[in-house]
Amino acid sequence: MFLKAASTSMFRIMALSLVFSAAGGIFLAKQSMDQRELFSKELRAVTVVPPSTKPALTQESIDIAMTLFDIKVPANANAPRLDMTLEDRGLTTLNGWGSKLDVTIGPAAFTSWALLGSTLAHELEVHCRQNFAVIRMKDLMGLDGTLQAEREAYLHELANSERFHLKTADQLNIKATMDYYYPAATQADDRLSAKK
């Protein structure tokens, strides 16, 4: 009888030890998570000033700019890659339905860290979130789907010019490019969205 009571007591002590150990582990994990979240909030509050030097014409510069400006790759896209033959600053391509979008960045985007970040945002934060089927359908119906999609991306760059520290000359160049190649027929062109 004494052995049975002792083994029952020992079992209870072990069970309680496991419970307290698990509770302590959960508490420590929560505390660690809270500290990481607080650090992330503080980090997001920091104003990022890009270097005044020109970025090197490398894939690494693209990766650095992504981190520097907190640009995320959407789930429906591949990570952006350098394309030395691309004449435009950037290009987002859908290579078949169901495949991920390909984002390529050309040498023209490397004139400054600000312009590189702005170009990445143009492609990843706008074009990769637009619905290519809707754009194509609008184009087929004569409703300027591509024009609206491009204007939306350029307007995103201009709206975020402070975030990227775009110089006035870059802002004027972006606006001039948008107005020349994708002129707004009406004010509504700047309010329509092809986003999903």
Side-chain angles (χ1 to χ4, degrees):
M1 181 77 155
F2 175 74
L3 285 175
K4 188 174 183 182
S7 66
T8 303
S9 293
M10 186 61 95
F11 177 74
R12 285 183 181 159
I13 290 170
M14 287 175 35
L16 285 173
S17 294
L18 286 172
V19 167
F20 285 125
S21 178
I26 291 170
F27 173 76
L28 290 175
K30 168 109 174 64
Q31 187 178 25
S32 175
M33 190 171 73
D34 289 345
Q35 288 173 343
R36 280 194 307 264
E37 188 175 312
L38 179 63
F39 178 75
S40 293
K41 283 181 183 176
E42 290 172 357
L43 193 58
R44 285 191 299 267
V46 172
T47 301
V48 175
V49 179
S52 58
T53 58
K54 204 171 162 179
L57 196 54
T58 63
Q59 180 63 44
E60 184 181 25
S61 292
I62 291 173
D63 300 337
I64 290 169
M66 296 278 293
T67 303
L68 188 67
F69 296 110
D70 194 30
I71 299 169
K72 306 287 186 241
V73 178
N76 67 328
N78 293 312
R81 60 184 172 75
L82 175 62
D83 181 353
M84 295 296 285
T85 64
L86 184 65
E87 292 183 16
D88 294 327
R89 287 190 292 137
L91 179 68
T92 300
T93 310
L94 176 62
N95 295 317
W97 298 109
S99 64
K100 286 190 170 193
L101 296 168
D102 283 321
V103 176
T104 50
I105 305 298
F110 289 78
T111 59
S112 69
W113 285 101
L115 199 61
L116 181 56
S118 188
T119 301
L120 288 162
H122 177 117
E123 303 301 332
L124 293 163
E125 295 178 352
V126 181
H127 287 322
C128 287
R129 289 178 168 83
Q130 292 173 326
N131 187 321
F132 280 51
V134 170
I135 294 167
R136 182 77 176 128
M137 179 126 5
K138 284 183 173 184
D139 283 343
L140 291 172
M141 295 169 51
L143 298 175
D144 296 324
T146 299
L147 179 143
Q148 292 169 1
E150 285 297 337
R151 283 192 72 82
E152 183 177 1
Y154 282 113
L155 289 168
H156 180 75
E157 286 188 75
L158 294 171
N160 285 278
S161 59
E162 194 172 303
R163 170 186 172 198
F164 299 111
H165 298 268
L166 283 171
K167 293 181 178 174
T168 303
D170 287 331
Q171 293 176 47
L172 292 172
N173 189 23
I174 289 167
K175 181 160 179 18
T177 300
M178 175 183 70
D179 290 339
Y180 181 80
Y181 290 104
Y182 308 104
T186 67
Q187 286 185 336
D189 285 339
D190 291 341
R191 289 191 302 269
L192 297 174
S193 174
K195 287 186 182 171
K196 296 178 182 176

